[in-house]
Amino acid sequence: MKAEFEIIQPDEGSSFRILHHKVSAGTFRWSYHYHPEYEIVLVFQGSGRRHVGNHLSYYTNGDLVMIGSDVPHSGFGYGAIGTHEEVVIQFKENFLGDGFIQVQEMSAIKLLFERSKQGISFYGETREELNLRFRKLLELSHFERLIELLGILQFLAKSTEYVLLNASDIRYNFSLKDQERLNKIYKFVEDNFGQEIDIQEVADLSSLTIPAFCNYFKKNANQTFTEFVNEYRINQACKMLLKGEEITDVCFHCGFNNVSYFGRVFREFKGKSPSQFRRAFIEELNQSVSA
């Protein structure tokens, strides 16, 4: 899980960069990277995986995250379902000049920057409001984008609808040993999620005892290994459901040996049953086509 340093150049005629992606989710490849620029990611719709610092989880129905300077993360399009559309804003702390963040009017935004070192996920009306503002942002001139970015940062700074994704500052400071160990664990789950996973085998892969492995994984991934495996399986199940495969087939293909248990775990992560999830997705797709 070695994080690669990414070089980012501002858009021509601008002090920051805006990216707009609307592509098949299969276009994205897993890439764990970091850069000195702050980053705001808004995924308009869909489900996928977010990996920010040590936090690994899945989002549904869109996502809004701010990532601090030098915080390692992967692209949110990896593992997404269907077409993935997102807007990404990347900017350095001094994008408006050295010392600008220190002026009194920027005090709330300065605190926002500090919180972003842990990764921030926004929800509720905050995400809904920025969903509209980000779409309008793409149509603005460079100067208007600058003014709007300041407004967006102030809006996020004042919001109380957020959760911190990591318990502490997790800017790039992982040991190479931890990176390689976690990468082996993630790869093992990706390759074996469709069958029963023996935790002893994973512990051996990590050169740890089972108790030590469980503690290590919970500390570094902010969830238990069982929770991680189930979350990964449910995300894979979503992809199969949206391809029209039968619920029973999806259950057993994704490593569950009981349909009732599969339905219960699916509801825990997605808030609805597998059939409800598929039906809701089709309804949203039909509404977007007719809009």
Side-chain angles (χ1 to χ4, degrees):
M1 199 179 63
K2 183 178 181 181
E4 301 292 338
F5 178 76
E6 180 179 351
I7 298 175
I8 292 174
Q9 296 292 336
D11 295 333
E12 185 176 353
S14 179
S15 57
F16 55 94
R17 182 165 78 160
I18 297 180
L19 302 171
H20 179 214
H21 299 128
K22 187 176 182 180
V23 296
S24 168
T27 303
F28 286 83
R29 294 292 178 266
W30 187 81
S31 175
Y32 199 55
H33 61 281
Y34 69 104
H35 42 72
E37 289 79 8
Y38 291 80
E39 181 168 303
I40 304 173
V41 182
L42 190 146
V43 180
F44 290 110
Q45 283 295 331
S47 304
R49 185 176 82 169
R50 72 160 78 95
H51 191 172
V52 179
N54 290 336
H55 180 92
L56 179 62
S57 61
Y58 291 88
Y59 60 87
T60 57
N61 300 321
D63 204 20
L64 173 60
V65 172
M66 182 170 179
I67 304 168
S69 173
D70 288 329
V71 173
H73 58 281
S74 62
F76 287 22
Y78 181 78
I81 298 171
T83 299
H84 179 83
E85 183 177 11
E86 68 177 17
V87 168
V88 180
I89 306 177
Q90 298 168 324
F91 53 92
K92 289 185 177 179
E93 181 173 301
N94 64 347
F95 76 104
L96 286 176
D98 292 333
F100 187 80
I101 191 67
Q102 303 300 330
V103 302
Q104 188 62 35
E105 291 82 356
M106 294 286 285
S107 59
I109 295 177
K110 184 178 180 181
L111 291 175
L112 174 70
F113 284 4
E114 284 296 314
R115 287 197 298 270
S116 71
K117 295 174 183 177
Q118 297 171 254
I120 313 171
S121 175
F122 296 91
Y123 59 88
E125 293 182 4
T126 300
R127 194 176 76 186
E128 294 303 316
E129 169 71 16
L130 286 199
N131 194 302
L132 299 173
R133 293 177 70 167
F134 269 54
R135 289 197 181 278
K136 294 179 180 178
L137 186 68
L138 300 172
E139 303 172 359
L140 301 178
S141 67
H142 288 310
F143 179 78
E144 291 170 328
R145 285 183 174 186
L146 174 61
I147 300 302
E148 180 63 3
L149 175 57
L150 285 175
I152 287 171
L153 289 173
Q154 183 71 2
F155 181 73
L156 292 177
K158 294 295 186 179
S159 173
T160 58
E161 296 179 311
Y162 70 85
V163 293
L164 300 179
L165 299 179
N166 292 273
S168 59
D169 181 345
I170 38 71
R171 285 175 291 181
Y172 187 64
N173 57 4
F174 301 140
S175 71
L176 182 60
K177 181 178 180 181
D178 282 337
Q179 295 166 33
E180 292 176 344
R181 176 180 282 166
L182 287 171
N183 191 42
K184 285 181 181 179
I185 296 169
Y186 296 163
K187 186 66 167 59
F188 181 87
V189 173
E190 289 180 355
D191 292 342
N192 297 279
F193 74 92
Q195 58 195 40
E196 184 177 353
I197 292 179
D198 184 355
I199 195 169
Q200 180 66 65
E201 187 174 355
V202 186
D204 291 344
L205 183 70
S206 308
S207 300
L208 296 168
T209 64
I210 290 180
F213 167 76
C214 291
N215 291 332
Y216 173 85
F217 192 87
K218 180 66 181 294
K219 177 183 177 181
N220 285 277
N222 290 319
Q223 60 184 162
T224 68
F225 180 68
T226 298
E227 289 170 340
F228 171 72
V229 172
N230 280 341
E231 195 168 32
Y232 185 85
R233 284 171 168 164
I234 293 301
N235 197 60
Q236 297 304 309
C238 289
K239 296 180 183 180
M240 295 181 65
L241 288 169
L242 298 183
K243 291 179 181 178
E245 299 191 33
E246 295 294 330
I247 292 176
T248 301
D249 293 337
V250 172
C251 166
F252 292 109
H253 179 85
C254 292
F256 295 95
N257 55 17
N258 182 288
V259 176
S260 296
Y261 177 66
F262 168 64
R264 186 164 64 251
V265 174
F266 193 99
R267 187 179 290 274
E268 287 176 3
F269 284 102
K270 300 302 180 183
K272 50 178 69 77
S273 69
S275 59
Q276 290 171 333
F277 173 84
R278 178 158 54 194
R279 186 162 55 249
F281 182 87
I282 293 173
E283 289 174 355
E284 289 180 7
L285 184 63
N286 290 337
Q287 289 173 1
S288 63
V289 170
S290 60

